[in-house]
Amino acid sequence: MKGFVGQSSRPVANEVEKGAIRRFAAAIGDDNPLYRDENFARQLGYRSLVAPPTFPRTFDFGAIPGWTLPTDGLIHGEERIFYHRPVVAGDVLYCRRTLVDVFEKSGSIGQMIFLVFHQVAAEADGDVVVELRSSIIHRPTADVGGGMA
Amino acid sequence: MNGKRWRVGEALPELVKPPVTQIQLVQYSGASGDFNPIHTVEAFAKAAGLGGVIAHGMLTMAFVGQMLTDAIGERGQLLEFGVRFRGMVRPGDVITCRGTVTEVSDVDAGQVVTASVEAVTQDGTVAVRGDATFRTGLGRAEATGQGGERG
């Protein structure tokens, strides 16, 4: 896995849709009208519905060529999001991920491999809108599933 | 321009969410695209040694995000928000989100505020813990990021 450190996916165009924002807001039980009522959002100066803060985690950031993320025994360790401007419906964001670090630790639950990804969502002209840093823990010894991600 | 002035040590208004439900986990799987069966398929989660389905970590982070946006208001913007996932959340759990201001600096018409944040279950188990930084006292164009030229 170490050989893939520094490798990036090719950017994937993500269209931010009103319906997707409304369904996300409903799922998290947040009744903020900015996520549901387009007229309300416009009155406040937004072009359309606003996305909740953790919505960018749902973007497709693409796959790193030649590398498959293991699906079993994954634990979401940490998530950090940097906001350059609010995400609004109608945005078309070009999203890619880079594997920035891989390191191993052995703890009480056995061997753990930490995968650190840096993900960027940018406009067509390259202006960055949101960045995310995700730390995923892979336990090669875990039999099935087993994670809190 | 913006009435609210935060001070170090001040608590953010607490948010108590309704109990997490299995339907909500199905809803969140669909809305987020995270279809890991440990969140939705009871038999799979049991076979994985989890004792039953557990909530997505990102769902609990979203609850904390709601507390933050409620606190920040419409003339502010979230700049950075990060958490570590520490404990499992299960259907029936009641999550309380809270935060405390740790740093404040005055800028132009507003402030840049940093707060420690966490989400805990009804028995006090910490589900997520982290920090967030936000800006207050922005003009409408700055707050919405839609004023044409961005700085």
Side-chain angles (χ1 to χ4, degrees), chain B residues 5-28:
Chain B
R5 306 291 293 181
W6 294 92
R7 34 184 191 74
V8 171
E10 185 174 354
L12 273 55
E14 200 172 84
L15 173 70
V16 182
K17 294 292 288 180
V20 171
T21 64
Q22 290 210 23
I23 289 294
Q24 183 171 33
L25 301 186
V26 172
Q27 246 186 315
Y28 188 81

Side-chain angles (χ1 to χ4, degrees), chain A residues 41-78:
Chain A
R42 285 193 174 136
Q43 278 164 25
L44 290 187
Y46 294 97
R47 193 176 61 240
S48 182
L49 294 184
V50 179
T54 58
F55 184 81
R57 189 66 174 78
T58 70
F59 293 157
D60 178 0
F61 292 93
I64 294 172
W67 186 63
T68 318
L69 181 70
T71 51
D72 285 349
L74 291 183
I75 300 173
H76 198 173
E78 289 184 45

Side-chain angles (χ1 to χ4, degrees), chain A residues 29 47 79-81 147 149, chain B residues 17 39 54 80-81 83 131 146:
Chain A
R47 193 176 61 240
E79 186 71 26
R80 181 165 292 273
I81 311 178
Chain B
K17 294 292 288 180
H39 305 305
I54 59 169
E80 184 177 335
F81 174 26
V83 300
D131 58 85
Q146 318 230 317

Side-chain angles (χ1 to χ4, degrees), chain B residues 24 34 37-38 48-49 53-54 60 71 85 93 99 104 106 112 123-124 127 130 151:
Chain B
Q24 183 171 33
D34 179 350
I38 61 171
V53 294
I54 59 169
T60 308
F85 300 99
D93 281 348
V104 172
D106 291 335
V112 172
D123 64 6

Side-chain angles (χ1 to χ4, degrees), chain B residues 110-127:
Chain B
Q111 295 175 302
V112 172
V113 180
T114 300
S116 62
V117 296
E118 63 180 13
V120 299
T121 62
Q122 62 284 347
D123 64 6
T125 304
V126 176

Side-chain angles (χ1 to χ4, degrees), chain A:
Chain A
M1 270 187 237
K2 276 229 180 255
F4 287 95
V5 171
Q7 301 284 308
S8 300
S9 60
R10 291 184 54 180
V12 178
N14 283 254
E15 295 172 44
V16 180
E17 295 167 356
K18 283 188 273 191
I21 290 176
R22 287 197 180 102
R23 280 191 294 276
F24 187 89
I28 67 174
D30 189 337
D31 57 8
N32 190 329
L34 279 177
Y35 310 147
R36 294 156 187 259
D37 180 346
E38 193 171 25
N39 287 329
F40 180 84
R42 285 193 174 136
Q43 278 164 25
L44 290 187
Y46 294 97
R47 193 176 61 240
S48 182
L49 294 184
V50 179
T54 58
F55 184 81
R57 189 66 174 78
T58 70
F59 293 157
D60 178 0
F61 292 93
I64 294 172
W67 186 63
T68 318
L69 181 70
T71 51
D72 285 349
L74 291 183
I75 300 173
H76 198 173
E78 289 184 45
E79 186 71 26
R80 181 165 292 273
I81 311 178
F82 303 88
Y83 305 91
H84 297 263
R85 71 152 169 86
V87 172
V88 294
D91 280 341
V92 179
L93 302 177
Y94 295 82
C95 301
R96 68 191 181 116
R97 83 172 80 233
T98 304
L99 180 65
V100 291
D101 201 6
V102 174
F103 57 94
E104 272 187 49
K105 276 186 187 174
S106 49
S108 53
I109 57 168
Q111 186 200 15
M112 297 185 289
I113 300 170
F114 287 72
L115 307 168
V116 183
F117 294 96
H118 184 239
Q119 292 133 144
V120 176
E123 296 188 64
D125 63 8
D127 274 3
V128 175
V129 175
V130 186
E131 293 170 83
L132 304 90
R133 202 172 176 88
S134 312
S135 169
I136 310 291
I137 303 164
H138 175 229
R139 289 189 295 145
T141 49
D143 16 314
V144 224
M148 36 185 286

